[in-house]
């Protein structure tokens, strides 16, 4: 809980020396603590605390070195009451104070998929009060909202995945801590990286402006009777499904291998010169580079866990 620039100006404030079961406040420093008592095998005392300051109670068996932090507190502007078990050997205690440690945003990249609903809490780490999150207006993917309590919610649209042809977003995020008795609220800004992946159903098969629009271009010839079946769900029609319908390509190839564009016959048959049979769609018009790249991206982003 200590920040890097902790200061040790309370170093000399030795609170008490415990010797032979007696509590001995050090003269001159003793005013720093009050309500000292030994109750059973525990030492009790109180000290005043300030906001925006952290306090560590440290313990050592000798006065000069070997201080070990045993308790830590965030200052609240009011007295802090301490209770410490007595150790067998004579022990010294001191209070060390430092600035309240900063807190930070713990913004890991977020991966979403067009059409799949999201409810994802974002995180901050460190000691902080109640936080209010704001995402930069218009910077979030279409269909996604950032709620004040720090949750990403919604369903990213097909257009969200096609944004800039890479579906990547860098969203400026501002997080404000509420004022509290620990001190005035602090504000932290950060950038949230979001990727919205393409969906077969809504970006590849559906009719989209720059999409391969497979339903439109392929379903006239390819369906359940003549694979690849572009109408079936991709898991049964394409993904890890072996070729073999046309004769020209044999049956050792696979229409779509998740993450492997070069190993996906579907992409090869749509590109310049396929290694087997004719370029698709048969007779043309062929796909533009942009349409082909979108198909390649869907395959690259696809994982074995995906169903679309
Ligand atoms: C006019 C009809 C027609 C259209 C439209 C068409 N294809 Fe084909 N397709 C064929 C024929 C015929 C074959 C078999 C001969 C060959 O492989 O060249 C074939 C073969 C294939 C194969 C290899 C299948 C295998 O198992 O060997 C793939 C993959 C393919 N097409 C994908 C597509 C895609 C994707 C589209 C749409 C962008 C499309 N085709 C549009 C007629 C068509």
């Amino acid at each position: 809980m200590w920040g890097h620039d902790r200061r040790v100006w309370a170093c000399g404030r030795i609170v008490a020396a415990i010797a032979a079961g007696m509590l001995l406040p050090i003269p001159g420093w003793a005013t720093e603590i009050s309500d000292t008592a030994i109750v059973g095998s525990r030492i009790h005392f109180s000290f005043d605390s300030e906001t925006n300051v952290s306090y560590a109670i440290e313990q050592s068996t000798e006065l000069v070195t070997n201080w070990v932090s045993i308790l830590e507190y965030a200052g609240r502007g009011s007295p802090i009451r301490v209770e410490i078990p007595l150790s067998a050997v004579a022990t010294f205690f001191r209070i060390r104070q430092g600035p309240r440690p900063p807190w930070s945003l713990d913004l890991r990249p977020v991966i979403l998929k067009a059409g799949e609903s999201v409810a994802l809490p974002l995180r901050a780490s460190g000691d902080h009060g109640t936080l209010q999150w704001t995402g930069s207006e218009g910077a979030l993917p279409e269909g996604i909202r950032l709620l004040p309590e720090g949750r990403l919610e919604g369903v990213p649209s097909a257009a969200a995945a096609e944004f800039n042809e890479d579906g990547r977003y860098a969203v400026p995020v501002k997080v404000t801590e509420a004022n509290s008795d620990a001190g005035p609220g602090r504000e932290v800004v950060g950038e949230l990286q979001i990727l919205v992946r393409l969906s077969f159903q809504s970006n590849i098969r559906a009719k989209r402006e720059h999409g391969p629009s497979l339903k439109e271009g392929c379903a006239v010839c390819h369906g359940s009777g003549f694979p690849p079946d572009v109408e079936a769900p991709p898991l049964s029609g394409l993904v890890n499904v072996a070729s073999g319908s046309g004769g020209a390509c044999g049956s050792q190839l696979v229409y779509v291998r998740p993450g492997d564009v070069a190993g996906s016959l579907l992409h090869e048959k749509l590109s310049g010169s396929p290694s087997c049979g004719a370029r698709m769609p048969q007779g043309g018009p062929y796909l533009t580079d942009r349409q082909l790249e979108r198909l390649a991206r869907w395959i690259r982003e696809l994982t074995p866990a995906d169903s679309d």
Side-chain angles (χ1 to χ4, degrees):
M1 105 178 251
W2 287 91
H4 292 302
D5 62 337
R6 66 178 143 171
R7 287 177 292 161
V8 288
W9 28 283
C11 192
R13 270 189 218 174
I14 307 303
V15 168
I18 309 299
M22 278 173 45
L23 182 63
L24 302 173
I26 306 290
W29 295 323
T31 49
E32 302 293 338
I33 62 166
S34 55
D35 303 330
T36 53
I38 294 178
V39 180
S41 61
R42 304 177 84 78
I43 167 175
H44 293 227
F45 62 90
S46 303
F47 65 93
D48 277 341
S49 74
E50 291 168 31
T51 60
N52 275 333
V53 174
S54 281
Y55 299 87
I57 311 295
E58 297 181 330
Q59 162 179 291
S60 177
T61 50
E62 42 154 308
L63 257 175
V64 186
T65 55
N66 293 332
W67 290 100
V68 175
S69 172
I70 52 171
L71 288 169
E72 292 180 354
Y73 301 92
R76 303 269 159 199
S78 54
I80 289 175
R81 180 137 188 80
V82 181
E83 201 187 310
I84 306 168
L86 288 175
S87 64
V89 281
T91 299
F92 302 99
F93 296 99
R94 69 181 184 186
I95 303 171
R96 194 164 64 154
Q97 69 183 51
R100 194 174 155 215
W103 54 275
S104 57
L105 299 181
D106 188 6
L107 295 177
R108 291 158 215 199
V110 171
I111 299 179
L112 312 177
K113 188 158 190 168
E116 284 181 8
S117 80
V118 191
L120 188 75
L122 303 181
R123 279 181 244 272
S125 46
D127 182 24
H128 58 75
T130 309
L131 301 180
Q132 167 133 3
W133 296 66
T134 331
S136 207
E137 188 97 356
L140 284 160
E142 185 181 272
I144 295 295
R145 292 169 302 152
L146 175 57
L147 303 184
E149 64 266 32
R151 259 157 78 85
L152 276 186
E153 257 192 25
V155 181
S157 69
E162 293 162 1
F163 175 71
N164 278 347
E165 274 319 321
D166 63 6
R168 288 180 190 272
Y169 299 76
V171 182
V173 167
K174 187 175 85 179
V175 186
T176 317
E177 183 189 30
N179 294 331
S180 72
D181 57 5
R186 295 161 293 176
E187 186 180 289
V188 173
V189 293
E191 201 173 69
L192 176 63
Q193 308 293 328
I194 302 181
L195 163 65
V196 182
R197 296 185 303 148
L198 294 166
S199 130
F200 179 76
Q201 171 76 24
S202 49
N203 298 106
I204 304 299
R205 173 159 54 201
K207 186 169 187 223
R208 302 290 303 169
E209 190 184 352
H210 300 290
S213 307
L214 297 193
K215 183 177 168 61
E216 200 179 56
C218 324
V220 270
C221 300
H222 293 284
S224 58
F226 184 26
D229 184 359
V230 295
E231 303 277 26
L235 280 193
S236 53
L238 296 171
V239 177
N240 295 322
V241 172
S243 60
S245 66
C249 293
S251 55
Q252 285 77 274
L253 302 169
V254 168
Y255 292 136
V256 172
R257 279 186 214 275
D260 180 5
V261 177
S264 297
L265 180 62
L266 188 78
H267 186 265
E268 188 189 328
K269 286 289 270 182
L270 296 171
S271 323
S273 38
S275 61
C276 51
R279 184 178 185 183
M280 295 288 133
Q282 202 186 37
Y286 303 123
L287 268 57
T288 63
D289 287 349
R290 188 170 179 180
Q291 289 171 316
L292 253 184
E293 172 48 31
R294 200 176 277 181
L295 178 76
R297 194 188 130 205
W298 168 67
I299 296 172
R300 266 199 307 275
E301 291 174 348
L302 201 61
T303 71
D306 279 307
S307 60
D308 178 56

